[in-house]
Amino acid sequence: MSTLTKQTLSHLDWLEAEAIHILREVAGQCANPALLFSGGKDSICLLRLAEKAFRPGRFPFPLLHIDTGHNYPEVTEFRDKRAAELGERLIVRSVEDSMARGTVVLKHAGESRNKHQSVTLLEAIEEFGFDACIGGARRDEEKARAKERIMSFRDEFGQWDPKNQRPELWNLYNARSHKGENIRAFPISNWTELDVWQYIAREQLELPSIYFAHVRPVVRRNGLLQPVTPITPAQPDDRVEDVQVRFRTVGDITCTAPVESDADTVDKILLETATTTITERGATRMDDQTSEASMEQRKKEGYF
Amino acid sequence: MSAPEHLPDIDNGLLRFLTCGSVDDGKSTLIGRLLFDSKTILADTLNAIERTSARRGMSAVDLSLLTDGLQAEREQGITIDVAYRYFSTGTRKYIIADAPGHEQYTRNMVTAASTANLAIILVDARKGVLTQTRRHSYLASLVGIPHLLVAVNKMDLVDYDQAVFERIRADYLAFADKLGIRDVRFIPISALNGDMIVDRGSRLGWYAGPTLLEILEAAPAAHTERAEDFRFPVQYVCRPQDAANPELHDYRGFMGRVESGEIAVGDAVSVLPSGATSRVKAIELGGARLERAIHEQSVTLLLEDEIDISRGDLIVKAAEAPEPVKQIDATLCWLSEAPLSPARTYLVRHTTREVKAKVAQIAHRVDVNTLAHEPAAQLAMNDIARVTLKLAQPIVADAYADNRATGAFIVIDESTNNTVGAGMIA
């Protein structure tokens, strides 16, 4: 006879167990998955979860990064170091190669390459025949993502059809696809930004240095801090200031803004995250501010 | 807002709940209110919905705009798909599944209900118990949600009259009894004004019970209310065979999630459907060795004997082993625009196992409004029916009423790979 246990998992343990379960379902159901690893905090959590899911074995998938060529060097260096420490295979495919092939055409030289990652991702999926891509997207990030499935089906053009998603019941995930189609799997769908930082703190995960407070030259534009870099130089009438900042999210330099902060440890970041008054993407993403539906539009076109 | 010295520890785990109601019951406003009063909505999101409210000529901020995620939903002012929302009180994390009430209601509600441990059923105080209230309650009980909370909303529009609330409660209890709903509670609220949601407000003084949030905080978590048998569907088998590490040469880890019950090192186990037996040698989680593992924990089991085990097998305690079956009676919800055809073969996914299946019989279809049984030759989208399925290979199942994880299955159409049905084993 079973004994009644009143004990339950803490919320972090529960989220961890769910994510491990999802990762193992991808491995069990898909023939050739890949894990999207950018060096950002969400995908750093994914790697720890993959260790917990599959060690002492190797990961049943390579790591894949779609590089816009406009990433912060601290992040790409971290990406390479972390992959080497884990002894797992890292595949990098570059938007610049897609531009050279003519499959990505920028409207003008200064256009952000961020949304064009979709093209390069689809090319990589085709090149390697990946039937699933595991990503670190979270439902709390953005409105369109709140409706995203944990196993999300994409057609052969990589398109997401939000009005015609597969029903997802219990924890019976359906990751089946035909050749050329693709599943996007999101193991940390149910995590919030605060959960991610609590997990980083608990697991003592190492992060790229730009997540922590540092002094950086910036220009104030449209209420956001635009970092001054070789890719995003100051304009003649800009007033460049040295400000103590940290990044809440890291991505393409042209569309990721830091926030003013003196939080230089994970504990201080946790406190700031718990008491912030602005959402993660609202404070930091220029690409989400073009219209209320810009994330949904990008996702329909094959974005993560 | 002043920063606290340190973060409160969340120690009461996680609760998943469902909100159901129809377009005008104020469901989105309730969710908006919960997020707003629990300080989950941040300034920029609030600014965005303030702008949208003003553009639509509304005088107050429309909190329901928070939950309309898709462009088409905003354009049409309706909710099309299930949305998931998150908030935390400092002691508990919540996942809200927000099911739209009007379109594809069965499909969406069953989906949202499948992972919930509590359902909030909204009733408009002016309208009382309606057909849809019965429908939502029936679906919630069908999917096995153990706790129902009937929130009588818009009390502000009936002058906060206790008699209205009591009449609705009596009406509801009259039919809840027939559904076999065991735990149902009632609360008067005004989502618009925030009465009795997080704060008590001053206008419902006659109501002595807890606020809606207090009810959520005290609601039992899944798996904690009765003893459950240990069920461990194997998801993946780890055989490292690392030439550089001879210690791992014989390593065979059976990876999965404890769907129910618990397991400890030394316990006698059976592997189904083969029936092979062994004992648990070790339980691992990310390199750490555990003495025991409880429900919902994802772990790796190592056994004392070398047994052939693969994905789709079920590990149970030796004394609690159910029989493998090749035919099942089930309640089936049809989710696809293409009707269920008894002539076709489908794929059934049950735990981590997939088997081919055919419908042997449709016993009856249930009218979700009247609960009447009617004959049916095929099933259309949103139909619910009692069916018998024949399976190509055996599965090891429990009745859904005993175990949601091993009693549930989905039906997949192999031509599209779509999930077309959701079943609960009788």
Side-chain angles (χ1 to χ4, degrees):
Chain A
M1 188 58 207
S2 311
T3 50
L4 176 57
T5 167
K6 286 267 184 194
Q7 196 185 342
T8 55
L9 300 179
S10 75
H11 90 287
L12 269 191
D13 283 336
W14 189 93
L15 291 170
E16 177 186 87
E18 183 193 44
I20 292 171
H21 177 260
I22 293 163
L23 285 167
R24 288 170 174 170
E25 278 306 289
V26 175
Q29 292 189 37
C30 302
N32 187 19
L35 185 147
L36 299 168
F37 177 55
S38 63
K41 67 181 190 312
D42 300 313
S43 58
I44 287 169
C45 287
L46 281 186
L47 289 188
R48 170 52 53 91
L49 293 161
E51 287 183 271
K52 294 206 180 191
F54 300 111
R55 292 291 188 242
R58 292 175 59 85
F59 294 176
F61 36 69
L63 314 181
L64 171 66
H65 184 223
I66 304 303
D67 191 343
T68 61
H70 284 172
N71 287 302
Y72 289 96
E74 295 91 336
V75 179
T76 44
E77 281 159 24
F78 181 90
R79 173 198 73 192
D80 296 344
K81 179 174 87 91
R82 190 77 191 100
E85 282 167 2
L86 287 165
E88 300 290 346
R89 178 180 175 212
L90 172 69
I91 299 167
V92 177
R93 285 295 175 269
S94 140
V95 175
E96 284 168 355
D97 289 340
S98 300
M99 287 160 62
R101 275 193 294 273
T103 48
V104 165
V105 181
L106 300 183
K107 290 194 195 85
H108 53 86
E111 191 198 1
S112 169
R113 298 171 180 178
N114 190 55
K115 73 169 198 163
H116 296 291
Q117 289 178 88
S118 310
V119 173
T120 311
L121 174 63
L122 294 178
E123 287 172 348
I125 287 171
E126 194 175 344
E127 177 186 352
F128 293 96
F130 292 130
D131 56 355
C133 291
I134 302 161
R138 310 189 318 264
R139 285 174 178 153
D140 85 317
E141 279 180 88
E142 205 278 337
K143 290 201 236 194
R145 283 193 165 158
K147 309 241 161 174
E148 176 74 273
R149 300 294 186 261
I150 284 173
M151 302 272 183
S152 180
F153 174 77
R154 306 298 163 97
D155 67 13
E156 57 188 318
F157 299 100
Q159 297 179 104
W160 180 57
D161 181 357
K163 283 191 269 186
N164 195 22
Q165 300 193 75
R166 290 179 183 170
E168 194 161 71
L169 297 106
W170 298 290
N171 57 3
L172 295 172
Y173 303 109
N174 176 359
R176 296 177 68 92
S177 62
H178 289 122
K179 194 167 165 40
E181 300 166 344
N182 194 259
I183 295 292
R184 304 287 167 84
F186 301 111
I188 60 168
S189 286
N190 286 327
W191 298 38
T192 62
E193 186 188 14
L194 186 59
D195 296 326
V196 167
W197 281 108
Q198 287 178 317
Y199 195 68
I200 287 166
R202 189 184 85 173
E203 299 290 315
Q204 302 183 314
L205 300 180
E206 196 187 336
L207 295 176
S209 57
I210 64 171
Y211 276 111
F212 300 98
H214 57 286
V215 175
R216 176 180 288 274
V218 297
V219 171
R220 292 179 198 271
R221 267 194 208 113
N222 306 324
L224 295 175
L225 301 178
Q226 167 90 56
V228 178
T229 70
I231 294 158
T232 53
Q235 301 304 307
D237 51 352
D238 276 344
R239 198 167 70 84
V240 179
E241 304 167 59
D242 281 333
V243 178
Q244 191 168 44
V245 297
R246 68 178 175 90
F247 286 86
R248 281 175 73 180
T249 172
V250 301
D252 190 271
I253 290 176
T254 61
C255 66
T256 317
V259 293
E260 283 195 75
S261 169
D262 56 8
D264 54 3
T265 65
V266 172
D267 283 345
K268 288 183 191 168
I269 292 172
L270 259 174
L271 268 181
E272 261 190 21
T273 306
T275 54
T276 183
T277 56
I278 303 184
T279 60
E280 179 174 334
R281 296 194 80 92
T284 62
R285 295 302 289 232
M286 303 164 208
D287 49 341
D288 283 347
Q289 303 206 339
T290 31
S291 86
E292 242 192 316
S294 41
M295 168 70 90
E296 181 179 346
Q297 199 54 44
R298 288 203 308 279
K299 282 174 72 67
K300 284 179 181 166
E301 291 162 5
Y303 196 74
F304 305 121
Chain B
M1 193 193 309
S2 63
E5 294 290 313
H6 58 84
L7 287 173
D9 292 323
I10 298 182
D11 55 11
N12 199 15
L14 183 143
L15 184 77
R16 302 191 74 157
F17 69 94
L18 157 77
T19 53
C20 41
S22 71
V23 196
D24 301 318
D25 289 338
K27 179 166 55 74
S28 297
T29 309
L30 170 65
I31 293 173
R33 176 60 63 183
L34 273 172
L35 300 181
F36 185 72
D37 285 357
S38 66
K39 315 264 190 296
T40 306
I41 302 174
L42 300 177
D44 57 329
T45 308
L46 201 57
N47 288 341
I49 64 167
E50 272 168 2
R51 281 198 303 273
T52 308
S53 301
R55 202 168 60 231
R56 293 190 186 169
M58 297 168 183
S59 55
V61 175
D62 183 358
L63 290 173
S64 71
L65 292 170
L66 281 169
T67 54
D68 296 334
L70 301 173
Q71 203 167 14
E73 295 177 338
R74 284 192 293 278
E75 282 161 10
Q76 298 170 43
I78 55 161
T79 317
I80 293 169
D81 203 343
V82 182
Y84 296 92
R85 302 284 155 192
Y86 306 87
F87 73 99
S88 169
T89 54
T91 52
R92 198 170 218 187
K93 177 183 164 106
Y94 294 92
I95 303 179
I96 312 174
D98 177 18
H102 50 96
E103 203 186 344
Q104 300 183 348
Y105 50 82
T106 301
R107 171 182 151 133
N108 279 318
M109 235 205 85
V110 169
T111 300
S114 69
T115 52
N117 210 48
L118 179 147
I120 298 177
I121 294 173
L122 275 150
V123 175
D124 185 330
R126 296 167 304 169
K127 297 176 184 162
V129 173
L130 301 175
T131 300
Q132 72 204 7
T133 315
R134 284 193 280 272
R135 186 169 75 212
H136 291 143
S137 304
Y138 167 67
L139 291 173
S141 68
L142 181 80
V143 185
I145 297 180
H147 305 283
L148 299 190
L149 174 58
V150 178
V152 180
N153 190 24
K154 306 199 181 182
M155 288 302 292
D156 50 309
L157 297 181
V158 296
D159 295 326
Y160 295 95
D161 183 355
Q162 183 176 7
V164 173
F165 174 73
E166 296 299 345
R167 192 165 61 241
I168 290 172
R169 168 155 55 188
D171 286 353
Y172 189 95
L173 284 172
F175 84 88
D177 205 37
K178 286 180 225 155
L179 288 177
I181 295 169
R182 291 188 307 273
D183 179 30
V184 57
R185 305 179 72 159
F186 299 85
I187 184 171
I189 61 168
S190 166
L192 189 70
N193 296 331
D195 296 311
M196 220 46 84
I197 312 282
V198 174
D199 302 314
R200 296 191 72 83
S202 58
R203 290 157 289 212
L204 286 165
W206 48 264
Y207 170 78
T211 63
L212 190 136
L213 187 64
E214 284 166 351
I215 293 173
L216 294 177
E217 290 279 270
H223 303 282
T224 58
E225 295 179 86
R226 58 191 171 90
E228 293 176 334
D229 291 345
F230 171 69
R231 297 289 184 259
F232 188 84
V234 176
Q235 291 184 274
Y236 198 76
V237 179
C238 179
R239 301 217 55 189
Q241 296 181 315
D242 183 349
N245 190 347
E247 270 181 34
L248 291 176
H249 186 75
D250 295 323
Y251 186 98
R252 274 177 196 227
F254 305 110
M255 299 175 150
R257 190 174 189 183
V258 180
E259 293 290 359
S260 60
E262 60 175 84
I263 191 78
V265 173
D267 282 350
V269 293
S270 292
V271 181
L272 302 173
S274 77
T277 58
S278 184
R279 281 183 186 279
V280 177
K281 185 167 75 181
I283 304 171
E284 294 184 350
L285 169 58
R289 290 247 164 157
L290 310 179
E291 271 307 304
R292 61 196 269 270
I294 64 166
H295 53 82
E296 300 189 314
Q297 217 167 1
S298 287
V299 294
T300 302
L301 297 185
L302 288 87
L303 303 184
E304 281 177 0
D305 307 278
E306 251 189 50
I307 306 176
D308 181 26
I309 301 176
S310 49
R311 175 177 166 84
D313 288 344
L314 183 72
I315 300 179
V316 302
K317 284 188 183 168
E320 305 168 344
E323 288 295 316
V325 290
K326 281 190 77 176
Q327 178 167 313
I328 48 174
D329 292 332
T331 302
L332 183 65
C333 305
W334 198 248
L335 309 172
S336 164
E337 279 169 14
L340 169 122
S341 161
R344 283 191 58 191
T345 298
Y346 294 94
L347 209 56
V348 159
R349 181 193 298 285
H350 170 257
T351 65
T352 53
R353 177 170 280 252
E354 272 183 8
V355 296
K356 289 195 190 298
K358 276 188 91 158
V359 175
Q361 196 208 346
I362 302 176
H364 59 255
R365 182 168 54 200
V366 180
D367 182 319
V368 293
N369 294 326
T370 62
L371 305 187
H373 294 180
E374 52 200 36
Q378 60 173 31
L379 298 180
M381 182 151 80
N382 292 319
D383 277 352
I384 291 174
R386 183 60 172 260
V387 301
T388 302
L389 296 177
K390 281 188 302 192
L391 310 176
Q393 285 89 33
I395 62 168
V396 183
D398 294 298
Y400 186 80
D402 295 333
N403 197 314
R404 281 169 96 171
T406 47
F409 62 89
I410 56 171
V411 181
I412 296 168
D413 181 337
E414 274 188 287
S415 67
T416 59
N417 283 324
N418 273 335
T419 303
V420 293
M424 288 150 284
I425 296 168

